Amino acid sequence: MFRFICVAVFLISFLILSIPVFLVEWIIGKWNPKLRDYSSLRIVQWGFKVILKITGVRTTVIGEENIPDEPVLFIGNHRSFFDILLTYSRCKRLTGYIAKKEMERIPLLSTWMRFVYCLFLDRENPKEGLKTILQAIEYIKQGISICIFPEGTRNKGEELSMLPFKEGAFKIATKTNCAIIPISMNHTSAIFEDQFPRIKKVHVVIEYGTPIYPKDLSAEEKKHIGAYVQNKIQETIEKNAALV
């Protein structure tokens, strides 16, 4: 419980102390929007890295060199709240995450999320969901990467299992022809979810796959692009299971 309490205290303190920082960031944005974007990115990343340090998690990262220096669509399997911290803390470019609509109700946290181009997806309203996907497409065109976990929720099944990927997320790539970067994560639920509410010091593996450009796929692969990418991730998490 000690790690959980430390993480909770840090997170609450970070959000409260952020209140004057929001004003500073807003002023910077009026003068230099790009500087504000990257300062917000680095502040949030710093906070995530401190939390990961408190957890004591040890991370093996494979294939990070596969990420091109261009806006991409990150697609990952999802088993833990910590998936977001583990991946976002490594982003070199501006990257917006697509989160569930309920996150928008959390004071201060949702403000930071908007500052770093996160989008809120209403999973119960297809019309609003389409608007979110269209906004993500615009972000890609503006040079901002997008990350989404297309299982739609955290998978609470067996370690190497995945829920079916929702195909709608892949319109972000097919409409822009940006690269899809598969992210395969092993053992992340062992940090917190497997022994809630305790946080455990564990070893996780993250692997970034080679870029997948929709234009390079066959007609059949492109038609079922969600299943195609999911198979790539499935193969990798099974391969990496022996590393944790």
Side-chain angles (χ1 to χ4, degrees):
M1 284 294 291
F2 178 71
R3 290 191 182 95
F4 175 80
I5 293 169
C6 289
V7 167
V9 169
F10 173 80
L11 181 58
I12 293 169
S13 301
F14 176 86
L15 292 175
I16 293 173
L17 294 173
S18 292
I19 295 173
V21 178
F22 291 143
L23 176 61
V24 174
E25 290 290 272
W26 181 79
I27 293 170
I28 292 173
K30 291 293 184 182
W31 167 62
N32 189 332
K34 186 174 181 180
L35 177 60
R36 192 223 68 172
D37 286 347
Y38 276 95
S39 62
S40 294
L41 170 66
R42 303 308 176 207
I43 290 169
V44 173
Q45 286 181 321
W46 174 80
F48 283 177
K49 288 175 181 177
V50 171
I51 292 173
L52 292 172
K53 189 76 172 176
I54 294 170
T55 67
V57 65
R58 183 167 63 89
T59 309
T60 295
V61 181
I62 303 168
E64 203 164 15
E65 69 280 1
N66 288 327
I67 306 172
D69 187 18
E70 61 192 48
V72 302
L73 175 64
F74 292 107
I75 295 287
N77 61 311
H78 190 29
R79 293 185 54 79
S80 173
F81 291 120
F82 282 89
D83 296 339
I84 298 159
L85 283 71
L86 288 161
T87 54
Y88 192 77
S89 61
R90 308 194 70 84
C91 292
K92 294 180 173 61
R93 296 177 59 93
L94 295 176
T95 304
Y97 277 51
I98 295 183
K100 60 184 179 180
K101 184 74 173 177
E102 292 80 358
M103 297 290 290
E104 196 172 19
R105 301 174 189 157
I106 303 176
L108 303 178
L109 178 62
S110 59
T111 304
W112 272 120
M113 292 175 74
R114 292 189 190 94
F115 268 29
V116 294
Y117 293 97
C118 288
L119 295 169
F120 301 95
L121 179 65
D122 188 340
R123 296 172 293 182
E124 306 301 323
N125 187 327
K127 187 175 180 180
E128 290 301 312
L130 178 59
K131 288 181 181 178
T132 301
I133 296 300
L134 291 175
Q135 182 60 65
I137 290 170
E138 285 304 309
Y139 280 172
I140 291 284
K141 291 177 179 178
Q142 294 169 28
I144 301 163
S145 293
I146 294 293
C147 181
I148 189 168
F149 302 114
E151 291 170 278
T153 187
R154 283 178 296 121
N155 174 21
K156 299 174 184 178
E158 295 182 0
E159 168 65 20
L160 300 182
S161 68
M162 278 191 287
L163 301 172
F165 278 12
K166 299 183 185 303
E167 294 281 342
F170 294 87
K171 293 184 184 297
I172 300 167
T174 57
K175 296 297 184 182
T176 61
N177 199 44
C178 71
I180 298 169
I181 305 296
I183 307 177
S184 308
M185 290 177 278
N186 288 71
H187 212 215
T188 59
S189 63
I191 301 171
F192 179 57
E193 283 77 5
D194 289 353
Q195 63 284 324
F196 175 87
R198 293 185 298 113
I199 290 175
K200 190 176 178 182
K201 183 178 180 179
V202 300
H203 175 219
V204 303
V205 178
I206 304 171
E207 180 163 345
Y208 296 90
T210 55
I212 300 169
Y213 289 92
K215 67 179 177 61
D216 295 335
L217 300 178
S218 69
E220 186 65 19
E221 289 168 339
K222 193 171 181 179
K223 183 179 179 181
H224 303 288
I225 190 169
Y228 177 83
V229 176
Q230 183 164 13
N231 286 337
K232 295 287 186 184
I233 294 174
Q234 185 70 53
E235 290 171 2
T236 307
I237 61 174
E238 290 178 4
K239 171 181 70 75
N240 291 338
L243 299 179
V244 295

